């Protein structure tokens, strides 16, 4: 070890240093003079092998030479420089990244290690001052009083025990200094120990309070909410709902968001890389942004927002303006059409609210949360900017217009088809009227047969109830009548059979019409 320190002294004469203007001094003469009038004396005195010199002496002189070994403690003055080098090294940064340790926890660990280091050196010096006095006639040290210790390890544990209870100001008194040198040393250590212990307590207390910033903010908001509810005489159910909401977002670590503080401290390029890593996989769930340029994706990810909704809360209503796109992070959302019918649900990593965003048409559905839902929100203006930057805007507008046109064509076809069904139903009712079948009876049979499995039986039963009108009730001159004046019984039966065939042939049209009417209802 001494050889290493001597080599270090030689190298320090050849080591450059940084000037005040942050430029490096490369002159050998100036570097050597700076070290010679600086740390050289400390390094030289702490490198001299005082213990070897002490072994060459005899009697009390040997003990005094061994005391000079304490000068090697001057090397500890360079510990501050070593600590700065370690803190600025990449190794420590990699350790912080690997363990994801908070700064407060790291500082607490450093304080604890420092306290153990101080306790170790205090114990070593306490043993050293007693050891150099062992063998002097008439001098009884604490080592001589310690009868149950027989080796260096036991002596070290005893001195460490003395060091800890002295620094922590406990002072049991079972290991005590006996000589004047020991008492002087103990007095100094008690004064230093009280200051070190107070410093440790104050710093640890401050660091522990910094560990749970969100908890402190949560308790503050809860207290303010209680005061507000009391002063405003808030309904207990509403108070409970708001309190549950804050509790939920506190669990999701969103009560105090440090994203803006952290991201604003970065350069634009670093901010894009971080936000892409965090939000990129979710943003790319949107079909338009699946293969978007990396830079455009980064700009888009830097402007997204996290929004939390409480149970049964309306994310948006039918007829609202499209403000943006939602991506479900956690939870589920139900979607209802204009008639209140459930049309779908969105779960984790699903995208909703995309329809009508590009063209700016009003919402045609309502989104309601099923429990607490955490979402990612992208504003409509940001979406349009990203589409224009990527060159997709015109193509997407064309696709949206085509989609709307197809919907319009389908609606028109449905209307035309319904009008055709309505016309068939009208003809069917007219047929029933002319055959003297009560229409109310026919529709009653329809409702009954809808509950059964066989539609064929319904029309068979309806045909059995067909009866011909009396001659007096038949208008021979009417062009609308589908019957002619019967001339014989066979003609009468033929017309009845014809009417029954018409009823049977219209059964499919009638069934489709009834189903369409149910849908409209």
């Amino acid at each position: 070890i001494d050889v290493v320190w001597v080599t270090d002294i030689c190298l320090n004469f050849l080591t450059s240093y940084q000037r005040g203007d942050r430029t490096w001094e490369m002159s050998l003469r100036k570097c050597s003079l700076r070290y010679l009038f600086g740390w050289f004396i400390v390094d030289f005195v702490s490198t001299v092998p005082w213990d070897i010199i002490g072994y060459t002496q005899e009697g009390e002189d040997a003990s005094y030479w061994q005391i000079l070994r304490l000068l090697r403690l001057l090397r500890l003055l360079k510990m501050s420089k070593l600590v700065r080098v370690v803190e600025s090294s990449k190794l420590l940064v990699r350790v912080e990244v690997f363990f994801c340790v908070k700064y407060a926890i790291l500082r607490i660990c450093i304080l604890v290690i420092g306290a153990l280091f101080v306790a170790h050196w205090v114990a070593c010096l306490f043993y050293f001052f007693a050891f150099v006095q062992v063998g002097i006639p008439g001098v009884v040290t604490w080592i001589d009083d310690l009868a149950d210790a027989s080796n260096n390890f036991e002596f070290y544990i005893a001195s460490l025990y003395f060091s800890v209870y002295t620094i922590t100001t406990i002072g049991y008194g079972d290991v005590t200094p006996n000589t004047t040198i020991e008492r002087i040393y103990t007095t100094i250590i008690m004064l230093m120990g009280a200051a070190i212990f107070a410093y440790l307590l104050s710093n640890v207390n401050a660091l522990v309070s910094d560990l749970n910033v969100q908890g402190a903010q949560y308790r503050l908001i809860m207290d303010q909410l209680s005061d507000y509810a009391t002063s405003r005489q808030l309904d207990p159910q509403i108070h409970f709902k708001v309190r549950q909401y804050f509790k939920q977002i506190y669990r999701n670590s969103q009560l105090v968001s440090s994203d803006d503080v952290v991201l604003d401290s970065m350069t634009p390029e670093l901010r894009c890389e971080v936000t892409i890593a965090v939000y990129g996989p979710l943003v790319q769930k949107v079909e338009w942004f699946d293969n978007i340029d990396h830079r455009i994706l980064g700009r888009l990810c830097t402007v997204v927002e996290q929004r939390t909704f409480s149970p049964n809360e309306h994310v948006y209503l039918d007829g609202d303006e499209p403000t943006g796109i939602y991506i479900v992070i956690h939870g589920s959302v139900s979607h209802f059409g204009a008639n209140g019918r459930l049309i779908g649900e969105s779960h984790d990593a699903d995208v909703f609210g995309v329809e009508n965003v590009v063209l700016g048409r009003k919402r045609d559905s309502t989104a309601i949360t099923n429990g607490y839902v955490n979402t990612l929100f992208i504003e409509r203006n940001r979406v349009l900017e990203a589409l224009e930057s990527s060159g997709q805007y015109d193509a997407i507008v064309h696709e949206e217009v085509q989609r709307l046109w197809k919907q319009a064509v389908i609606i028109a076809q449905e209307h035309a088809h319904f009008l055709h069904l309505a016309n068939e139903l009208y003809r069917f009712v007219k047929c029933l009227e002319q055959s003297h079948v009560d229409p109310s009876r026919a529709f009653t049979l329809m409702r009954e047969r809808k509950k059964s499995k066989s539609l064929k039986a319904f029309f068979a039963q309806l045909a059995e109830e067909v009866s011909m009108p009396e001659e007096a009730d038949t208008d021979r001159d009417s062009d609308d009548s589908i019957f002619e004046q019967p001339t014989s019984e066979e003609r009468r039966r033929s017309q009845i059979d014809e009417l029954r065939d018409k009823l049977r042939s219209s059964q499919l049209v009638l069934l489709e019409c009834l189903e369409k009417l149910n849908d409209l209802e």
Side-chain angles (χ1 to χ4, degrees):
I1 296 177
D2 291 337
V3 173
V4 173
W5 281 98
V6 171
T7 305
D8 180 67
I9 291 174
C10 298
L11 293 176
N12 282 328
F13 280 104
L14 307 175
T15 303
S16 62
Y17 65 91
Q18 197 173 30
R19 304 190 191 97
D21 58 355
R22 296 188 178 276
T23 59
W24 291 93
E25 179 60 63
M26 306 300 294
S27 174
L28 179 61
R29 179 175 177 276
K30 292 182 179 181
C31 293
S32 301
L33 289 176
R34 183 175 183 272
Y35 177 67
L36 182 63
F37 294 102
W39 285 96
F40 171 74
I41 298 176
V42 175
D43 292 343
F44 177 77
V45 172
S46 60
T47 306
V48 174
W50 301 107
D51 50 347
I52 297 177
I53 297 175
Y55 291 144
T56 62
Q57 305 297 320
E58 296 181 357
E60 297 182 1
D61 293 339
S63 300
Y64 294 128
W65 281 104
Q66 289 184 1
I67 293 176
L68 292 177
R69 292 166 58 190
L70 293 175
L71 294 175
R72 293 197 171 190
L73 295 177
L74 294 174
R75 296 174 181 175
L76 298 177
L77 297 176
K78 287 192 172 183
M79 288 297 295
S80 59
K81 181 179 179 181
L82 180 61
V83 170
R84 289 196 299 270
V85 172
V86 172
E87 288 182 347
S88 60
S89 66
K90 294 182 179 180
L91 177 61
L92 186 61
V93 176
R94 292 185 182 276
V95 171
E96 294 177 0
V97 172
F98 180 78
F99 291 102
C100 294
V101 62
K102 290 186 176 181
Y103 176 76
I105 296 178
L106 184 62
R107 290 295 303 171
I108 291 175
C109 293
I110 293 175
L111 287 174
V112 171
I113 294 174
L116 294 175
F117 182 78
V118 171
H120 166 75
W121 278 106
V122 169
C124 291
L125 290 175
F126 184 62
Y127 176 78
F128 175 80
F129 282 117
F131 179 76
V132 297
Q133 299 179 78
V134 174
I136 299 177
V139 177
V140 180
T141 65
W142 67 269
I143 296 177
D144 299 325
D145 289 343
L146 200 64
D148 57 344
S150 58
N151 52 56
N152 288 334
F153 177 75
E154 293 179 352
F155 284 124
Y156 174 75
I157 294 299
S159 58
L160 183 63
Y161 167 72
F162 165 82
S163 171
V164 171
Y165 77 60
T166 301
I167 293 177
T168 56
T169 68
I170 296 176
Y172 288 112
D174 48 349
V175 178
T176 58
N178 293 335
T179 66
T180 302
I181 295 178
E182 292 174 357
R183 293 189 184 97
I184 293 174
Y185 173 74
T186 303
T187 302
I188 296 173
I189 293 304
M190 285 190 293
L191 295 175
M192 293 177 59
I196 293 172
F197 189 62
Y199 174 80
L200 290 174
L201 285 181
S202 60
N203 278 271
V204 170
N205 184 38
L207 292 172
V208 169
S209 62
D210 291 341
L211 284 175
N212 195 10
V213 176
Q214 290 190 348
Q217 185 70 13
Y218 171 73
R219 291 188 292 272
L220 177 61
I221 291 179
M222 291 296 100
D223 292 340
Q224 293 176 345
L225 177 61
S226 299
D227 295 338
Y228 179 84
T230 303
S231 61
R232 302 294 182 180
Q233 297 182 353
L234 194 65
D235 184 81
Q237 292 184 353
I238 299 178
H239 185 192
F240 175 78
K241 184 177 180 180
V242 176
R243 205 173 191 88
Q244 286 294 106
Y245 173 77
F246 280 119
K247 186 176 181 179
Q248 181 66 25
I249 62 175
Y250 171 66
R251 289 177 177 175
N252 293 336
S253 301
Q254 294 181 5
L255 187 63
V256 181
S257 178
S258 58
D259 290 359
D260 294 339
V261 177
V262 174
L263 294 176
D264 291 343
S265 303
M266 301 180 186
T267 61
E269 186 173 351
L270 279 177
R271 191 182 305 123
C272 288
E273 291 184 8
V274 172
T275 52
I276 287 175
V278 176
Y279 302 122
L282 288 175
V283 173
Q284 288 181 319
K285 294 292 183 180
V286 182
E287 183 181 0
W288 303 331
F289 307 138
D290 187 15
N291 297 317
I292 201 171
D293 184 77
H294 190 76
R295 292 174 298 176
I296 301 175
L297 179 63
R299 290 197 298 268
L300 190 63
C301 291
T302 56
V303 295
V304 298
E305 305 175 18
Q306 286 197 40
R307 294 186 178 182
T308 301
F309 298 92
S310 57
N312 299 321
E313 184 174 353
H314 291 82
V315 181
Y316 52 79
L317 296 173
D318 181 23
D320 286 351
E321 296 292 335
T323 57
I325 297 174
Y326 295 88
I327 307 170
V328 180
I329 299 177
H330 179 71
S332 65
V333 179
S334 297
H335 306 280
F336 298 89
N339 56 0
R341 181 174 298 179
L342 179 66
I343 58 177
E345 289 188 354
S346 298
H347 301 280
D348 294 358
D350 287 344
V351 181
F352 68 94
V354 179
E355 299 81 5
N356 306 331
V357 168
V358 175
L359 299 181
R361 299 175 66 250
K362 293 184 178 181
R363 303 281 190 187
D364 53 7
S365 63
T366 300
I368 302 178
T369 59
N370 302 319
Y372 286 99
V373 178
N374 190 17
T375 65
L376 205 64
F377 176 74
I378 310 176
E379 291 185 358
R380 178 175 179 264
N381 293 335
R382 305 295 185 180
V383 173
L384 298 181
E385 290 176 2
L387 294 178
E388 290 178 355
S389 301
S390 61
Q392 302 182 68
Y393 181 78
D394 293 338
I396 292 176
V397 169
H398 182 69
E399 291 178 1
E400 288 293 304
V401 171
Q402 282 187 335
R403 183 178 63 85
L404 292 177
W405 176 252
K406 290 179 181 178
Q407 289 182 354
V409 171
I410 292 174
I411 292 174
Q413 290 176 345
E414 290 291 332
H415 283 209
H417 186 51
F418 178 70
L419 290 176
H420 170 70
L421 294 177
N423 184 41
E424 292 291 336
L425 180 62
Y426 174 75
R427 291 172 56 192
F428 178 75
V429 172
K430 291 291 291 181
C431 182
L432 292 178
E433 290 177 351
Q434 294 173 1
S435 60
H436 277 196
V437 176
D438 187 6
S440 61
R441 171 61 178 167
F443 282 105
T444 301
L445 290 174
M446 292 178 194
R447 296 189 186 96
E448 291 177 356
R449 297 316 304 174
K450 281 175 61 180
K451 298 178 182 179
S452 66
K453 296 182 179 179
S454 174
L455 185 65
K456 212 171 190 184
F458 157 66
F459 284 100
Q461 183 178 358
L462 185 62
E464 291 296 332
E465 297 191 12
V466 174
S467 61
M468 291 299 298
E470 298 294 334
E471 293 184 7
D473 297 331
T474 304
D475 187 2
R476 299 180 182 180
D477 299 330
S478 176
D479 295 333
D480 295 332
S481 177
I482 64 173
F483 298 107
E484 298 179 358
Q485 182 65 27
T487 57
S488 65
E489 186 67 23
E490 293 180 357
R491 181 64 176 168
R492 187 182 186 88
R493 290 183 181 277
S494 175
Q495 290 179 346
I496 292 176
D497 293 337
E498 181 181 356
L499 180 58
R500 286 175 177 173
D501 292 338
K502 288 183 179 180
L503 289 173
R504 293 188 183 97
S505 64
S506 61
Q507 55 182 325
L508 295 177
V509 177
L510 176 61
L511 178 61
E512 189 177 357
C513 187
L514 292 175
E515 290 177 352
K516 191 68 178 180
L517 288 174
N518 288 335
D519 292 339
L520 291 178
E521 290 176 359

